[in-house]
Amino acid sequence: MKKRRIRNSVLALGILTAVSTLMFACNPKETETGDPGLLLGFSQIGSESAWRIGNTNDIEEQAANYGINLMFENANQKQENQIAAIRRFIAYKVDVIAFSPIVEEGWDNVLQEAKDAGIPVILVDRDISSEKEDLTACLIGADFYSEGVKAGEYLIRKADSMETEELHIVEITGTDNSTPMRQRQAGFADAIKDDERMHILESIDGDFLKSRGAECMRTLLEKYGDEIDVVYSHNDEMTLGALPEIEKAGLVPGKDIIIISIDGGQDAIDVLKSGKINCVVECTPKLGKEVMETAIKLKNGESVEPMIHPEEQVFSDEGDLSNIAPRGY
Ligand code: GYE
């Protein structure tokens, strides 16, 4: 009997906590001081990679650091879910909207609705493509074109050091029509275009997913076999999916095939150290601090930088890999 009473009161406490959590969730603007605070609606693409999960964690941590109320929505890789989330943010009258557009096209209507409602929009990580001007306040994200250039420049140095006359490249690209896919492809192509040793055999869509990276690699190996000298993969996840397929085909990644990846998450850096990846171009997911500081400025009606690119480096077999700091994603 006694036990049951304890269990009941624990239950009652649980219900009370749940009710108050719900009340807070329905009225997230209210803070202890009565200050309405800043309400930020954030629509994330999904959870497709370590990069994306690291980005989500950083956004949540920095929102808490800056005392910003975050309405977070995960679109599970679907543009229509992002559009619906942005409409909910507008209906909720958030102060600022931030989102990472999964692809570049198709945002005009919903962004016009946000503009008409007077809610400023921050693009995080990826860009949009639109005929209309001033639909968004700014973009906080990496310079993907320069990441592609860095990957191409590494390959040219590698070819020099190997004194090779020809390199056959396969490219596993990120989500079709997304900014990182378009710009990582363009930057790499531009960097190698005047080098006669470089031949791209094929570019294939791996959608930034590990499973697709494996599938693409299987297809490419079946088609080209040991003709492949280089894999240029637009993110770590697809690279990590491709490596076991190369090994299954009896080839040694990092030796028989030069492997170039982008992101620089811990798993890829560990594989780089083991020699199975040759080069990782960094793309940092830690954009939260800039997002929060920009949201505060926008709420206060201050002007903001139209474009903020974080600093990024290259990790490769050319340098000392022993003191790379823990990556945190
Ligand atoms: O490289 C990839 C992620 O948009 C920079 O998206 C981001 C890319 C990143 O899924 O791993």
Side-chain angles (χ1 to χ4, degrees), residues 144-156 169-173 180-203 230 232-234 260 262:
F144 301 127
Y145 182 84
S146 129
E147 292 171 354
V149 169
K150 287 176 192 161
E153 289 174 346
Y154 164 81
L155 189 58
I156 291 172
I169 305 160
V170 293
E171 179 180 29
I172 307 179
T173 62
M181 178 267 157
R182 286 180 170 165
Q183 296 187 6
R184 286 172 183 171
Q185 183 167 56
F188 182 77
D190 285 350
I192 63 166
K193 75 172 186 299
D194 295 327
D195 191 319
E196 284 171 1
R197 296 168 296 181
M198 308 293 172
H199 305 279
I200 298 184
L201 294 172
E202 188 167 336
S203 292
V230 182
Y232 168 45
S233 154
H234 285 193
I260 306 174
I262 302 187

Side-chain angles (χ1 to χ4, degrees), residues 45 48-52 125-126 142 144 147 180 184 208 234-237 262-263 283:
I45 291 173
E48 75 280 6
S49 61
W51 190 100
R52 187 68 50 204
D125 165 31
R126 301 185 183 180
F144 301 127
E147 292 171 354
R184 286 172 183 171
F208 284 128
H234 285 193
N235 84 341
D236 288 348
E237 231 60 39
I262 302 187
D263 274 357
C283 178

Side-chain angles (χ1 to χ4, degrees), residues 6-303:
I6 291 170
R7 229 184 282 140
N8 281 348
S9 55
V10 169
L11 194 75
L13 194 74
I15 291 170
L16 241 161
T17 317
V19 168
S20 55
T21 310
L22 209 74
M23 278 168 65
F24 179 75
C26 294
N27 189 12
K29 281 190 163 189
E30 217 162 281
T31 64
E32 273 169 24
T33 56
D35 175 348
L38 191 158
L39 181 59
L40 173 69
F42 185 89
S43 165
Q44 181 60 286
I45 291 173
S47 321
E48 75 280 6
S49 61
W51 190 100
R52 187 68 50 204
I53 293 163
N55 179 250
T56 294
N57 293 341
D58 188 59
I59 295 283
E60 287 178 344
E61 274 168 30
Q62 293 298 340
N65 277 352
Y66 281 82
I68 288 176
N69 294 310
L70 184 67
M71 277 181 87
F72 182 90
E73 298 233 14
N74 183 328
N76 294 311
Q77 260 54 55
K78 290 206 168 63
Q79 182 174 28
E80 70 250 36
N81 290 347
Q82 289 202 284
I83 292 173
I86 295 170
R87 293 216 161 100
R88 276 192 292 281
F89 298 152
I90 297 170
Y92 209 89
K93 296 189 169 58
V94 300
D95 297 300
V96 178
I97 291 171
F99 82 114
S100 295
I102 183 161
V103 291
E104 291 193 349
E105 281 83 16
W107 304 101
D108 283 16
N109 291 345
V110 74
L111 291 180
Q112 187 62 52
E113 290 165 31
K115 193 176 175 186
D116 294 344
I119 303 174
V121 176
I122 304 172
L123 292 170
V124 181
D125 165 31
R126 301 185 183 180
D127 206 352
I128 57 161
S129 161
S130 171
E131 303 267 281
K132 296 191 183 178
E133 274 177 26
D134 296 336
L135 286 180
T136 56
C138 60
L139 167 65
I140 300 170
D143 182 344
F144 301 127
Y145 182 84
S146 129
E147 292 171 354
V149 169
K150 287 176 192 161
E153 289 174 346
Y154 164 81
L155 189 58
I156 291 172
R157 292 195 301 275
K158 184 77 178 172
D160 291 345
S161 74
M162 291 165 65
E163 297 181 12
T164 180
E165 287 185 357
E166 225 175 10
L167 285 177
H168 296 115
I169 305 160
V170 293
E171 179 180 29
I172 307 179
T173 62
T175 306
D176 224 8
N177 300 323
S178 69
T179 316
M181 178 267 157
R182 286 180 170 165
Q183 296 187 6
R184 286 172 183 171
Q185 183 167 56
F188 182 77
D190 285 350
I192 63 166
K193 75 172 186 299
D194 295 327
D195 191 319
E196 284 171 1
R197 296 168 296 181
M198 308 293 172
H199 305 279
I200 298 184
L201 294 172
E202 188 167 336
S203 292
I204 183 169
D205 174 15
D207 204 12
F208 284 128
L209 298 170
K210 190 173 187 176
S211 57
R212 285 282 303 140
E215 215 176 304
C216 290
M217 199 64 234
R218 275 198 298 278
T219 307
L220 292 165
L221 284 162
E222 272 164 28
K223 223 162 149 181
Y224 304 104
D226 59 11
E227 243 191 279
I228 301 172
D229 301 308
V230 182
V231 172
Y232 168 45
S233 154
H234 285 193
N235 84 341
D236 288 348
E237 231 60 39
M238 298 188 296
T239 310
L240 296 170
L243 293 182
E245 300 303 321
I246 296 174
E247 290 177 319
K248 274 188 234 159
L251 297 165
V252 183
K255 297 219 160 52
D256 297 330
I257 301 185
I258 300 164
I259 310 290
I260 306 174
S261 188
I262 302 187
D263 274 357
Q266 192 62 53
D267 288 352
I269 294 297
D270 291 344
V271 180
L272 171 73
K273 287 182 183 171
S274 81
K276 291 183 187 175
I277 294 179
N278 302 84
C279 173
V280 181
V281 178
E282 181 186 30
C283 178
T284 179
K286 296 184 181 167
L287 307 171
K289 184 172 185 289
E290 298 289 358
V291 173
M292 301 313 146
E293 288 180 358
T294 304
I296 292 167
K297 284 189 191 155
L298 288 169
K299 192 189 175 196
N300 295 340
E302 292 167 33
S303 65

